[in-house]
Amino acid sequence: MTTLDSPSAATASAEVTAPDTDAVLAALGSAERPRPQGPLAASATFGRRTLLRIKYVPEQLFDVTVFPVMLTLIFTYLFGGALAGSVDRYLQFFLPGILVQSILMITMYTGVALNTDIEKGVFDRIRSLPVWRPSALVGALLGDVVRFTLASAVVVGLGLALGFRPQGGPGGVLAAVALLLVFAFALGWIWTYLALVVRTPNAVMGWSMLVITPLTFGSNIFVDPATMPGWLQAVVEVNPVSHLVSAVRGLVHGEVAGSDVVLVLVWAAVLVAVLGPLTMRRYRTRN
């Protein structure tokens, strides 16, 4: 009688239980595996995902349409007569500034959306994909650039309807918007890092407002810094948002100073160079 401990029984058992290699390969498919997307293609895919959210949740357009219109109308008619003597005169000075404020204040929604993905578990699925690791974050920021462009068009269009006349012409306006979008993309890295540190979307919103409010209101958006106390002028002059407003205002009116544009680009490069690696380190290690 043959027992299971005998060599012949073990061999027979192995022959019965061994998988059919050919059958397994046929089930998995013999076609060549698709090649992973490159960095640009992967980032574009995640950018498209960001835009698809608008399709299914159109209420997200509120912050890039109604919000900029509300800010422009309130501040123009509230402060115009008191600060410049007339709404029309104030509008020429103020509109480039409110354009900057409208865009910068909605950059925080990049972090809110990322934190929402973390809360829902989408974050872990994305990290497991065989794609360039930063593509999810870069794609989200690039997708938001489209939203910022729409908001810029709304503000400029409203300004033209109210009587704003850019002396730099269409070319100056386009150059100003392009510079603003570059800075907004760089600023978005602050909110992506914040989204990986705090626990809830509401916390991202709260901390973002704590950062963006002094940056925008403590700048030259609303008034000429020459009218401020000396200590406040010193603060405003080192504020990166003030440099951005000066560059945008100069480009729009054809009086741009090259140093302002260079400073904005330097600030943008510093934000990406510092916060990009910090964000990716947190992205890799966050549980």
Side-chain angles (χ1 to χ4, degrees):
M1 180 178 179
T2 303
T3 65
L4 291 177
D5 293 333
S6 64
S8 59
T11 302
S13 176
E15 290 177 352
V16 171
T17 59
D20 187 341
T21 304
D22 294 335
V24 172
L25 291 177
L28 294 176
S30 58
E32 184 181 355
R33 280 189 171 187
R35 299 178 62 181
Q37 287 185 316
L40 291 178
S43 298
T45 299
F46 283 109
R48 181 173 179 271
R49 173 180 177 266
T50 299
L51 296 177
L52 283 175
R53 290 177 175 174
I54 299 175
K55 177 180 178 181
Y56 297 106
V57 188
E59 294 84 1
Q60 292 186 15
L61 286 177
F62 178 86
D63 63 317
V64 299
T65 53
V66 179
F67 183 68
V69 169
M70 183 175 61
L71 284 181
T72 304
L73 292 176
I74 288 176
F75 287 112
T76 297
Y77 289 102
L78 186 64
F79 297 135
L83 297 178
S86 71
V87 171
D88 182 69
R89 185 183 304 171
Y90 185 63
L91 187 64
Q92 311 310 314
F93 171 85
F94 172 65
L95 192 111
I98 198 62
L99 172 63
V100 170
Q101 186 186 37
S102 298
I103 301 305
L104 296 189
M105 291 195 75
I106 63 178
T107 57
M108 67 183 71
Y109 291 102
T110 302
V112 173
L114 175 59
N115 194 272
T116 301
D117 282 345
I118 295 172
E119 194 175 47
K120 293 183 177 180
V122 178
F123 172 82
D124 293 325
R125 301 181 198 175
I126 291 176
R127 284 203 306 178
S128 67
L129 296 176
V131 294
W132 184 52
R133 186 56 63 88
S135 60
L137 303 180
V138 174
L141 292 168
L142 290 176
D144 281 334
V145 166
V146 177
R147 297 170 59 245
F148 304 155
T149 303
L150 176 59
S152 300
V154 169
V155 173
V156 173
L158 177 61
L160 293 173
L162 295 176
F164 176 68
R165 296 298 177 261
Q167 301 302 312
V173 173
L174 291 176
V177 171
L179 184 66
L180 175 56
L181 294 180
V182 170
F183 187 84
F185 174 84
L187 188 68
W189 285 98
I190 296 178
W191 320 134
T192 55
Y193 178 75
L194 192 60
L196 296 171
V197 174
V198 302
R199 297 184 179 182
T200 65
N202 288 337
V204 175
M205 181 72 73
W207 280 103
S208 299
M209 289 298 296
L210 192 63
V211 173
I212 203 67
T213 299
L215 282 177
T216 53
F217 284 91
S219 69
N220 57 352
I221 290 177
F222 300 99
V223 296
D224 187 341
T227 63
M228 303 176 184
W231 65 269
L232 186 54
Q233 288 185 38
V235 173
V236 170
E237 287 173 359
V238 298
N239 186 344
V241 175
S242 295
H243 301 154
L244 177 60
V245 173
S246 296
V248 169
R249 192 171 279 146
L251 287 168
V252 165
H253 289 304
E255 303 170 353
V256 65
S259 59
D260 290 328
V261 176
V262 171
L263 279 173
V264 172
L265 295 177
V266 169
W267 272 112
V270 168
L271 285 172
V272 175
V274 173
L275 289 166
L278 287 176
T279 302
M280 291 312 305
R281 181 180 179 182
R282 181 66 180 174
Y283 182 77
R284 289 191 298 268
T285 59
R286 192 184 196 281
N287 294 324

